[in-house]
Every structure is written in C-alpha cells, then in structure tokens.
Amino acid sequence: IALAPAGTYRSRHVSDGVERVTSYRKIAGFPLIVTLGLALDDFLQGHDEFRRNAMLATGAKPRDVGRALAVA
C-alpha cells in the first residue's frame, strides 16, 4: 500500500477456493483501507451476456465475437 495507495488484483481465496477480483484504496487523511472483492465468475457474467447477445443479434459464431472483442 505504501507503493500503490489503490489497486486491483486477482487471487484465489484459501477460505472458500473462489477466485476473486479485489480492489483496494487507502483513504487519504484516515487510517482506513477500503476493499471490495467480487467472484471472477460474477465479474465476467456481464461480458458473457454481452457476447451471447452480440452473437444472437448478428448471427456470428463464438470465435467471430471473440476475435472482434480482442481487436476492440
């Protein structure tokens, strides 16, 4: 935290084995660090829904949508 007062990292928690994306931020002027973690599956759910909707709307195949997202 001394080097980066805010950041995001990905890790697997030993308590439940769930992989999470966690962000943290030190609150200036206070002895406080705020953290928020979200399961990777939940974090990626929006991306999966977008991809599925794009395929339905365009008639594209999954590999086509993956290539388009990789270029964007």
Side-chain angles (χ1 to χ4, degrees):
I1 300 218
L3 297 176
T8 299
Y9 61 93
R10 188 170 141 179
S11 65
R12 184 171 303 278
H13 287 243
V14 290
S15 62
D16 58 11
V18 174
E19 190 170 7
R20 288 188 174 81
V21 175
T22 303
S23 293
Y24 67 90
R25 177 177 299 274
K26 182 175 182 341
I27 306 302
F30 295 93
L32 181 64
I33 299 169
V34 176
T35 62
L36 173 71
L38 188 61
L40 187 61
D41 289 343
D42 294 337
F43 184 78
L44 294 176
Q45 182 179 358
H47 168 62
D48 292 341
E49 288 175 14
F50 170 80
R51 189 173 172 191
R52 184 174 39 257
N53 290 339
M55 287 188 301
L56 289 172
T58 64
K61 296 180 176 143
R63 69 174 184 275
D64 298 333
V65 175
R67 288 183 191 140
L69 291 174
V71 172

